[in-house]
Amino acid sequence: MATPTYEIYALKYAGPLIRPASMVTWFQDMDKTTEINYYIFAIRGGDETIIVDCGCAPKLASERNLNGYVNPAEVLRRINIDAKKVRHVVATHIHFDHISGVELFPRATIYVQEKEFLFWIKNPIAKRAPFMHTTDPVGNRYLAKLEGTKRLKLIRGDKKILPGIELLLAPGHTIGLQVVAVNTARGTAIVGSDAAHLFSSFRTDIPSAIITDMISWMKSYDKIKAKASSPALLFPGHDLALLENYPKVAEDVSRLV
Ligand SMILES: [Zn+2]
C-alpha cells in the first residue's frame, strides 16, 4: 500500500505574547522585544489524525495570564477535531506550553521520548529553578500516572509510529525533544516545535536562549535539515508567520502544507 500523504495545520491557542528578543533568538537584539504565539499542530491524512503537542490547560493559562488564550480543544473544534476522541498525541517536549493540556486528550496515546520523560518526571534536577519555571507540575503528574499503561509510549530515538509519520530525536532545547517528519504532497516536512522558535533559526543557526545542550542542538539542526525535502518544509514552534503566511482555514488556524 502506498504511504499516505498528510496535511499539516498550525492552530494558535495563545498570543501574541511579548518576549525579549534575546530570549527567542539567543543573545541577539538584547534591547528589543518581539512577539510570539503558542500553537499546537494537527496532522491529517488517510484515516488518521495526529496532534502535535497539548498546549496549555485552562487553569495554568489563567495563572500565567496568557494573552489571547483559547482552550486548545476549542481551537481543534474549528477544524472538526474532537480532542476527546483523538488517538495519537505527540508530545515534543515537557515544557508547560506543550504538555500542560495533556488532560484535554483523555483517549489519546501520548508519544514522548523516554529520555525526556525520565528527566522531567524522575530526575530531581528537573525540580530546580531553571527547569521548574518552564514546566507544569500538574501536567507532569498526569503524564507520570500514565507510565506503564497503553496510553504512554516512551520512544527511544527515531521511530516510525504510523505510515508516513516518523518521530526524530532532536535534543538541544531540552534533553529529549522530538520533532515529527511527515510525508506530505510536497515531500517530507518537519513539524519542528521548539527545535526553532522562529523560521529564522533554521536559516541562521541561532536558536532560542532556552538551551539544555547547544552542541546537541547544532547536530539536531543538521539532522532535521537533512531529513526535510526542502527548507520551505521546516516549521518552527512559535513564529507569528505560521499563521500569517499560510492559507487560513478557520479562525487562528492555517494549513502549512
Ligand atoms: Zn514552546
mmCIF file of all heavy atoms in Angstrom, residues 93 95 97-98 173 194 197 238, ligand 1:
data_model
loop_
_atom_site.group_PDB
_atom_site.id
_atom_site.type_symbol
_atom_site.label_atom_id
_atom_site.label_comp_id
_atom_site.label_asym_id
_atom_site.label_seq_id
_atom_site.Cartn_x
_atom_site.Cartn_y
_atom_site.Cartn_z
ATOM 1 N N HIS A 93 8.052 17.904 23.740
ATOM 2 C CA HIS A 93 8.892 18.044 24.928
ATOM 3 C C HIS A 93 8.023 18.474 26.101
ATOM 4 O O HIS A 93 6.850 18.810 25.924
ATOM 5 C CB HIS A 93 10.066 18.997 24.695
ATOM 6 C CG HIS A 93 9.692 20.418 24.369
ATOM 7 N ND1 HIS A 93 8.952 20.768 23.257
ATOM 8 C CD2 HIS A 93 9.963 21.589 25.012
ATOM 9 C CE1 HIS A 93 8.802 22.082 23.221
ATOM 10 N NE2 HIS A 93 9.390 22.605 24.277
ATOM 11 N N HIS A 95 7.840 21.039 28.249
ATOM 12 C CA HIS A 95 7.662 22.413 28.713
ATOM 13 C C HIS A 95 6.166 22.701 28.823
ATOM 14 O O HIS A 95 5.360 22.113 28.101
ATOM 15 C CB HIS A 95 8.318 23.403 27.745
ATOM 16 C CG HIS A 95 9.807 23.531 27.937
ATOM 17 N ND1 HIS A 95 10.632 24.119 27.005
ATOM 18 C CD2 HIS A 95 10.610 23.128 28.958
ATOM 19 C CE1 HIS A 95 11.878 24.094 27.456
ATOM 20 N NE2 HIS A 95 11.898 23.495 28.628
ATOM 21 N N ASP A 97 4.019 24.896 27.914
ATOM 22 C CA ASP A 97 3.170 25.309 26.792
ATOM 23 C C ASP A 97 2.946 24.181 25.789
ATOM 24 O O ASP A 97 2.186 24.325 24.844
ATOM 25 C CB ASP A 97 3.733 26.559 26.097
ATOM 26 C CG ASP A 97 5.203 26.449 25.729
ATOM 27 O OD1 ASP A 97 5.970 25.847 26.507
ATOM 28 O OD2 ASP A 97 5.585 26.952 24.658
ATOM 29 N N HIS A 98 3.611 23.055 26.020
ATOM 30 C CA HIS A 98 3.484 21.898 25.128
ATOM 31 C C HIS A 98 2.861 20.678 25.805
ATOM 32 O O HIS A 98 2.351 19.796 25.131
ATOM 33 C CB HIS A 98 4.875 21.527 24.576
ATOM 34 C CG HIS A 98 5.511 22.654 23.834
ATOM 35 N ND1 HIS A 98 5.486 22.768 22.466
ATOM 36 C CD2 HIS A 98 6.153 23.765 24.283
ATOM 37 C CE1 HIS A 98 6.086 23.889 22.091
ATOM 38 N NE2 HIS A 98 6.507 24.511 23.181
ATOM 39 N N HIS A 173 17.200 22.073 22.847
ATOM 40 C CA HIS A 173 16.271 22.916 23.635
ATOM 41 C C HIS A 173 15.962 22.205 24.944
ATOM 42 O O HIS A 173 16.008 22.799 26.016
ATOM 43 C CB HIS A 173 15.013 23.131 22.801
ATOM 44 C CG HIS A 173 13.946 23.939 23.461
ATOM 45 N ND1 HIS A 173 14.121 25.249 23.840
ATOM 46 C CD2 HIS A 173 12.652 23.630 23.773
ATOM 47 C CE1 HIS A 173 12.988 25.708 24.369
ATOM 48 N NE2 HIS A 173 12.089 24.744 24.346
ATOM 49 N N ASP A 194 9.897 23.352 19.233
ATOM 50 C CA ASP A 194 10.874 24.325 19.713
ATOM 51 C C ASP A 194 12.317 23.983 19.353
ATOM 52 O O ASP A 194 13.247 24.588 19.898
ATOM 53 C CB ASP A 194 10.725 24.539 21.222
ATOM 54 C CG ASP A 194 9.427 25.247 21.560
ATOM 55 O OD1 ASP A 194 8.641 25.514 20.630
ATOM 56 O OD2 ASP A 194 9.203 25.526 22.747
ATOM 57 N N HIS A 197 12.253 28.375 17.641
ATOM 58 C CA HIS A 197 11.083 29.210 17.925
ATOM 59 C C HIS A 197 10.596 29.886 16.642
ATOM 60 O O HIS A 197 9.406 30.048 16.431
ATOM 61 C CB HIS A 197 11.426 30.287 18.960
ATOM 62 C CG HIS A 197 11.234 29.843 20.383
ATOM 63 N ND1 HIS A 197 11.800 28.707 20.888
ATOM 64 C CD2 HIS A 197 10.512 30.401 21.395
ATOM 65 C CE1 HIS A 197 11.434 28.582 22.164
ATOM 66 N NE2 HIS A 197 10.656 29.580 22.492
ATOM 67 N N HIS A 238 6.960 28.687 17.298
ATOM 68 C CA HIS A 238 6.315 29.866 17.914
ATOM 69 C C HIS A 238 6.222 31.092 17.004
ATOM 70 O O HIS A 238 5.891 32.184 17.478
ATOM 71 C CB HIS A 238 7.078 30.256 19.187
ATOM 72 C CG HIS A 238 6.876 29.305 20.335
ATOM 73 N ND1 HIS A 238 5.741 29.317 21.102
ATOM 74 C CD2 HIS A 238 7.655 28.313 20.835
ATOM 75 C CE1 HIS A 238 5.829 28.368 22.045
ATOM 76 N NE2 HIS A 238 6.987 27.744 21.890
HETATM 77 ZN ZN ZN B 1 7.407 26.311 23.419
#
